[in-house]
Amino acid sequence: MALRHLGRMAMKKCWAPRLLASSQRAFHPSLARFDQEVSVTFELSDGRKQTTQAKIGQNLLDIVVDNEIDIDGFGACEGTLACSTCHLIFKQADFDRIQDEVTDEELDMLDLAYDLTDTSRLGCQVCMTKELDGISVKVPESINDQR
Amino acid sequence: MFRPCLRPSFSWASFRRYTSTEGPAPRVCVVGSGPAGFYTAQHLLNHGPPQLRVDLLERLPVPFGLVRFGVAPDHPEVKNVDHTFTKIAKNPRVQFYGNLHVGVDVKVRELRQLYDIVILSYGAAQDRKLGVPGEELSNVISARSFVGFYNGLPEDAALAMNLDVEDAAVIGIGNVALDVARVLLTPIDTLRQTDITDAALAQLSQSRIKRVFVIGRRGPLQVSFTIKELREMVNLEGCSAVFNPDDFRPFQSVAPLLKRPRKRLTELMLKTALTPPTEKQLKLWGPAPPKSWELRLLRSPLAILGSDSSVSGVQLGVNRLDGPNLTEDQAVVSTGEVETLECGLVLKSIGYKSVKVEEGIPFDEQRGVIPNVNGKVPDEPGLYCSGWLATGPKGVIVDTMNESYRVGAQILEDLKLDHISVQANRTEELRTLLDQRQVKVVNFVDWEKIDETEKLWGASKGKPREKITEVQSLISVVKKP
């Protein structure tokens, strides 16, 4: 039982049902009250910054996918806590404001991430809240770090 | 998430250089369609010249390599990565050639003539040997074969093993060792809902295995498995984790000083060995767990005992760590002490190695890899390797992803510096050669038919998929005999 459901349990539901098809995921009629926009900036590994609007309740992996922010290999397991490819690095103050508590399973995956820091989280496990409006998160370098 | 051009992470200067339509289109051949092959191709397609084309060659009629044949059936989430690979394969600049055995149907040296760039990423398909007496006894099985068997790898479809025994030893302390141990210990009804093959289910449903010993030569700070796999093993339904506290106690003092991830991994082993089970564990294990497992470290197999018909045990030499300070890179030395572990099944899981594809292609027999610098094969302009064939068999998919991107970056760098000569106006095509040789190539559309067939077959049994495990049967789904 436990094994079979692990993947599904791991999916971060936030307030928006993560199991909806990708096109529906961003917004769900029953979630009208969460249809409040916040902004988030992704600092890509080449130094460029990309700012996008997101809905409260959306997790950062979905925001990357839905806004077609092009990061090679990002979210390989599609938010099921089976890889570390949606690793993001937060500023300490933002990190402290994240509502979603980190689980052992998330830490287990982060342990395999490159450039792990004390303020690292998996994007699939962090949902946007009002408090996180305007945050800027760093996408770690994966290719050139060891060259 | 494939987008062929206008990649934001691309500088405009180099972008213009690449988008120049004046240069001939580099033609790339990738040998092997596992994660390394796909991720290397992805980097070239996303960041290389827009006219670059990739042919992806695969020995089997089905793609995805170890994602299909290595990842454990109870880890379906890990296999989600095949969605990314499917998008890459469906890129109009990519052609998939399945059921094409490089080295047999076509030689690498022929591919070198047909393509500007050849990337070997066919992985590691052989086992390392223990090199101890008794290794040839029946029921001494390579973990790689067992994994192949339960994942439907054609060459392992007929694996003969006897699970009518109570104790099993798994030799090795990597993730494959924990995967095979977990499959042996997981309740059969849980496995029934995965894409494990029916043949494996039939075997496992007859299993009497009650105890599994996972044996490693090295110490707790030197295990190779990752924490996710260990955490699963200590939270198995109906199976307790019983470690010998004395084996782990000495490491209590050093654990807090270690760096993550080693720290968390060691702490989980210590917690399992030294503290009573948690409430969650007690609930999962049940009041009288029918099965158990033990991590027994600092033991080297000296011989496998038994008669010609069956294994009766493993003779283990007891090791200790050399020197006063417990560290990750401490040497292991023998104490001279010997103990016998009784068991009726031995699974060897001490690593994979690659095989040479054909004579004349550089290969390091000792390490079982192609010698390379960042994937570039020295003195062979245009020849590269990626994945386990380049790095040796280590790491999880994310490691192979990063390594493969790095190889892709190296290739683009070499293209830019004209280290690779791109031939204009090639007239000879791989396809023509294969037609002449009457090779029955399985293309990606064919694979999607096979995929659909397997999913339908699986759905009738409440499984996500039932894999077709014979090469001929796979081909017959899409090709008339």
Side-chain angles (χ1 to χ4, degrees):
Chain A
M1 192 299 285
L3 286 173
R4 183 162 53 85
H5 291 303
L6 187 69
R8 208 173 303 160
M9 286 182 347
M11 279 197 179
K12 191 75 201 176
K13 285 189 186 126
C14 302
W15 302 299
R18 179 67 174 71
L19 294 171
L20 294 177
S22 164
S23 55
Q24 297 170 286
R25 230 188 277 147
F27 176 67
H28 188 262
S30 69
L31 295 162
R33 67 201 174 92
F34 295 115
D35 184 25
Q36 197 179 345
E37 294 229 315
V38 285
S39 91
V40 51
T41 301
F42 294 90
E43 300 170 29
L44 305 180
S45 50
D46 63 354
R48 254 175 348 94
K49 292 184 178 181
Q50 200 161 336
T51 301
T52 184
Q53 296 299 305
K55 305 253 187 312
I56 285 183
Q58 261 194 302
N59 73 51
L60 288 164
L61 168 63
D62 282 354
I63 293 169
V64 167
V65 173
D66 291 345
N67 292 285
E68 305 197 351
I69 295 171
D70 206 351
I71 309 166
D72 283 347
F74 200 80
C77 79
E78 302 178 353
T80 56
L81 264 189
C83 75
S84 56
T85 57
C86 65
H87 171 206
L88 295 169
I89 300 169
F90 292 76
K91 297 197 176 76
Q92 185 71 54
D94 299 335
F95 182 81
D96 296 337
R97 277 200 294 265
I98 298 172
Q99 245 175 37
D100 304 289
E101 276 181 31
V102 66
T103 61
D104 283 339
E105 287 72 18
E106 182 184 347
L107 289 170
D108 291 355
M109 283 298 126
L110 277 169
D111 277 355
L112 307 180
Y114 284 50
D115 292 347
L116 183 67
T117 71
D118 289 338
T119 58
S120 289
R121 289 291 300 262
L122 293 180
C124 68
Q125 300 298 305
V126 176
C127 295
M128 287 306 289
T129 57
K130 190 80 192 121
E131 292 69 34
L132 293 178
D133 188 11
I135 54 164
S136 189
V137 293
K138 194 174 159 221
V139 180
E141 178 65 80
S142 62
I143 301 177
N144 297 317
D145 51 350
Q146 284 172 20
R147 289 188 80 180
Chain B
M1 276 191 296
F2 166 72
R3 266 166 292 282
C5 54
L6 280 173
R7 282 189 46 84
S9 56
F10 217 69
S11 82
W12 274 103
S14 58
F15 183 78
R16 290 226 175 79
R17 186 155 56 240
Y18 280 137
T19 45
S20 149
T21 45
E22 285 155 34
R27 298 183 28 146
V28 181
C29 177
V30 176
V31 179
S33 70
F38 270 107
Y39 280 127
T40 312
Q42 185 190 35
H43 189 89
L44 297 178
L45 292 160
N46 283 3
H47 301 270
Q51 67 271 36
L52 176 144
R53 302 180 71 88
V54 177
D55 285 352
L56 196 51
L57 279 45
E58 168 59 52
R59 180 173 60 90
L60 291 163
V62 292
F64 308 145
L66 284 185
V67 173
R68 178 178 164 106
F69 294 116
V71 173
D74 58 351
H75 286 168
E77 323 81 53
V78 179
K79 302 186 196 201
N80 280 345
V81 70
D82 65 11
H83 300 158
T84 304
F85 297 163
T86 298
K87 276 183 205 157
I88 298 167
K90 288 182 148 187
N91 182 319
R93 292 189 285 148
V94 175
Q95 282 289 326
F96 175 76
Y97 291 81
N99 195 38
L100 173 54
H101 198 163
V102 172
V104 178
D105 297 323
V106 61
K107 298 283 182 190
V108 175
R109 57 175 178 274
E110 292 174 308
L111 297 174
R112 299 271 281 136
Q113 297 299 315
L114 292 167
Y115 296 89
D116 304 305
I117 297 159
V118 174
I119 303 156
L120 302 175
S121 55
Y122 58 81
Q126 236 183 34
D127 304 289
R128 295 201 175 275
K129 292 240 181 304
L130 282 173
V132 300
E135 195 167 356
E136 311 310 323
L137 285 170
S138 67
N139 240 22
V140 179
I141 313 272
S142 101
R144 189 197 56 72
S145 300
F146 183 47
V147 170
F149 171 63
Y150 64 62
N151 278 331
L153 184 65
E155 61 217 52
D156 293 319
L159 181 72
M161 62 193 296
N162 173 19
L163 298 179
D164 188 18
V165 299
E166 290 199 350
D167 298 293
V170 178
I171 298 170
I173 41 177
N175 279 339
V176 175
L178 293 194
D179 276 350
V180 296
R182 191 178 70 252
V183 168
L184 287 175
L185 292 166
T186 297
I188 192 80
D189 287 333
T190 305
L191 292 177
R192 273 186 217 288
Q193 288 155 31
T194 71
D195 69 2
I196 191 168
T197 60
D198 269 1
L201 276 178
Q203 283 262 7
L204 287 164
S205 63
Q206 303 293 314
S207 165
R208 284 199 302 118
I209 288 173
K210 281 187 177 162
R211 279 172 299 271
V212 173
F213 299 88
V214 176
I215 294 161
R217 184 180 63 86
R218 295 169 295 165
L221 304 184
Q222 299 159 328
V223 294
S224 300
F225 51 70
T226 49
I227 189 167
K228 175 197 172 181
E229 280 69 17
L230 178 65
R231 196 179 298 283
E232 283 177 303
M233 285 296 288
V234 302
N235 290 312
L236 279 178
E237 199 181 333
C239 175
S240 56
V242 187
F243 297 5
N244 181 353
D246 295 337
D247 289 353
F248 292 86
R249 203 168 280 123
F251 297 89
Q252 253 178 318
S253 56
V254 289
L257 311 173
L258 298 167
K259 268 198 264 174
R260 194 175 160 186
R262 183 62 68 188
K263 179 172 187 269
R264 295 186 68 246
L265 182 58
T266 306
E267 282 170 349
L268 184 55
M269 280 184 272
L270 290 173
K271 198 174 155 206
T272 307
L274 302 172
T275 61
T278 62
E279 224 166 277
K280 179 186 168 190
Q281 283 174 320
L282 287 174
K283 212 171 142 192
L284 279 165
W285 296 356
K291 297 176 186 173
S292 67
W293 79 285
E294 182 187 336
L295 180 62
R296 198 174 283 190
L297 299 174
L298 292 169
R299 302 288 191 281
S300 291
L302 302 176
I304 296 168
L305 312 170
S307 63
D308 52 359
S309 60
S310 63
V311 172
S312 63
V314 187
Q315 196 180 57
L316 298 169
V318 181
N319 301 329
R320 64 175 174 80
L321 294 161
D322 197 22
N325 301 315
L326 298 171
T327 63
E328 290 176 50
D329 42 20
Q330 220 171 350
V332 170
V333 290
S334 167
T335 63
E337 208 181 310
V338 173
E339 59 183 35
T340 301
L341 175 75
E342 286 182 23
C343 62
L345 169 69
V346 174
L347 284 158
K348 301 179 288 176
S349 180
I350 54 165
Y352 294 4
K353 67 177 188 185
S354 299
V355 286
K356 191 192 236 175
V357 60
E358 70 190 46
E359 287 305 322
I361 303 301
F363 194 77
D364 181 341
E365 297 280 357
Q366 199 64 36
R367 293 175 55 225
V369 298
I370 291 185
N372 69 92
V373 181
N374 250 332
K376 188 175 183 172
V377 184
D379 306 321
E380 294 275 348
L383 185 64
Y384 296 81
C385 55
S386 69
W388 283 2
L389 182 58
T391 63
K394 58 180 187 195
V396 295
I397 295 179
V398 65
D399 300 303
T400 295
M401 181 184 92
N402 285 322
E403 293 291 340
S404 302
Y405 287 164
R406 198 166 296 139
V407 175
Q410 177 70 54
I411 294 171
L412 294 183
E413 178 85 8
D414 290 347
L415 266 178
K416 217 187 284 182
L417 298 173
D418 286 331
H419 289 171
I420 303 167
S421 63
V422 178
Q423 271 188 51
N425 308 320
R426 283 180 184 277
T427 48
E428 216 184 338
E429 287 270 347
L430 173 65
R431 193 171 296 278
T432 325
L433 199 73
L434 299 178
D435 285 346
Q436 282 164 7
R437 294 178 188 175
Q438 296 181 322
V439 182
K440 280 187 183 171
V441 170
V442 172
N443 62 29
F444 207 77
V445 175
D446 292 337
W447 150 247
E448 290 186 301
K449 273 181 217 152
I450 296 173
D451 186 35
E452 203 180 315
T453 308
E454 288 188 338
K455 281 178 178 162
L456 274 173
W457 193 17
S460 68
K461 305 171 183 183
K463 296 166 80 173
R465 142 189 335 268
E466 184 64 52
K467 288 179 187 166
I468 300 168
T469 62
E470 285 170 358
V471 169
Q472 277 320 311
S473 312
L474 283 163
I475 295 170
S476 67
V477 173
V478 288
K479 300 265 187 268
K480 297 211 166 67

